[in-house]
Amino acid sequence: MDTRTGTDADTQPDAHSRPGTGGWHLTHDLDEFLTRAGAFLRSRPALHTVPLTVTETLRTHGRSVYGDGEPEFGVLERAGEVRAAFFRTPPHWLNLTAVTPEDADSLAARLAALGRRLPGVNAECDTAAAFTEAWQRHTGTPAVLRQRQRLYRLGTLTEPGPLPPGAPRIAVGADRELLRRWHDEFSASVGLGTVRDSAEWADARIADGGITLWETPDGTPVAMAGTGPQVAGQVRVASVYTPPRFRRRGYAGAATAEVSRAALASGAAEVLLFTDLDNPTSNGLYQRIGYRPVADFDVHDFT
């Protein structure tokens, strides 16, 4: 790696590129990645919500916010035009925008040749399958489908009714331990591990007012819902969680509707969220509030 730029010394087009047409460019330099890929990512903000929000978090909170490993980025360029991009914040999965099977293969071959060790991939279904097949072919690594996800976009917000007793409020410093504990419980419940240190996450969300709690009339917090930063006109709802003892009382729906309303009021053009397709309760809840399917994504583990 060139220590001045954070770019791999091997930056030539990949072997599947025709001469002069470009190929996969890899870098550890966030600014370089955003210069190359920013307009492409913003051209489809809903489908690119994860790279948009993750890179914004890296830019504002530091490169180690998701772990101690050095983040890596890549851009696929053909004839001067960006066609795809990826990022990875070790030790987490490769996150890849939509690509053809041929481009998935060229990326897998490139990363394998560089000796990269990947825990898995997260991408739209066809891309995830194509990259997984290519990675197995180039490395011999077994793979397993870990989770099926659906991306939703808010249409017309519909108030869940009747609302449960209580009211929403923004989480503050006194809620730090509660948020830290609920973040760990939420991460365990969705089955994707802890992507971010829970204490650091709680501090950041309190600082930016990014978590709303639903409280019962006696002041007991019973559910939370959060939103990420507004990037390219989109805001993504995340970390919707209700402890088991408080479930099936409408608290999560009320909290989600509240943060969705606040995102719209802030000027967001699109409000998005992901669900686990194997959880019919959450999928049904979000559709009743007004969320509509956009695309399906798969997470594959390389074991």
Side-chain angles (χ1 to χ4, degrees), residues 239-250:
S239 304
V240 178
Y241 179 69
T242 306
R245 65 186 181 279
F246 297 130
R247 290 176 185 170
R248 300 189 181 279
R249 305 182 195 181

Side-chain angles (χ1 to χ4, degrees), residues 38-62:
F40 165 75
L41 294 176
R42 291 168 184 269
S43 70
R44 305 181 75 186
L47 291 176
H48 300 158
T49 178
V50 174
L52 283 167
T53 53
V54 167
T55 53
E56 178 64 13
T57 300
L58 290 169
R59 188 185 66 80
T60 56
H61 293 284

Side-chain angles (χ1 to χ4, degrees), residues 66-147:
Y66 294 107
D68 295 333
E70 183 77 359
E72 182 172 27
F73 312 96
V75 181
L76 175 65
E77 295 176 313
R78 297 275 191 237
E81 181 181 354
V82 175
R83 301 293 181 87
F86 79 83
F87 75 87
R88 189 167 84 87
T89 54
H92 308 299
W93 300 268
L94 180 84
N95 187 288
L96 177 62
T97 66
V99 295
T100 65
E102 293 76 18
D103 289 330
D105 182 79
S106 69
L107 177 59
R110 178 75 175 280
L111 295 177
L114 290 171
R116 299 295 193 266
R117 296 177 62 87
L118 301 181
V121 64
N122 185 346
E124 289 184 66
C125 294
D126 289 347
T127 291
F131 184 85
T132 297
E133 180 183 354
W135 188 251
Q136 291 177 298
R137 186 165 56 252
H138 289 289
T139 68
T141 304
V144 62
L145 177 63
R146 183 186 183 107
Q147 189 178 84

Side-chain angles (χ1 to χ4, degrees), residues 164-182:
R169 71 166 175 84
I170 302 297
V172 297
D175 302 304
R176 182 178 188 269
E177 178 57 26
L178 175 73
L179 295 191
R180 186 200 64 74
R181 186 173 71 252
W182 281 8

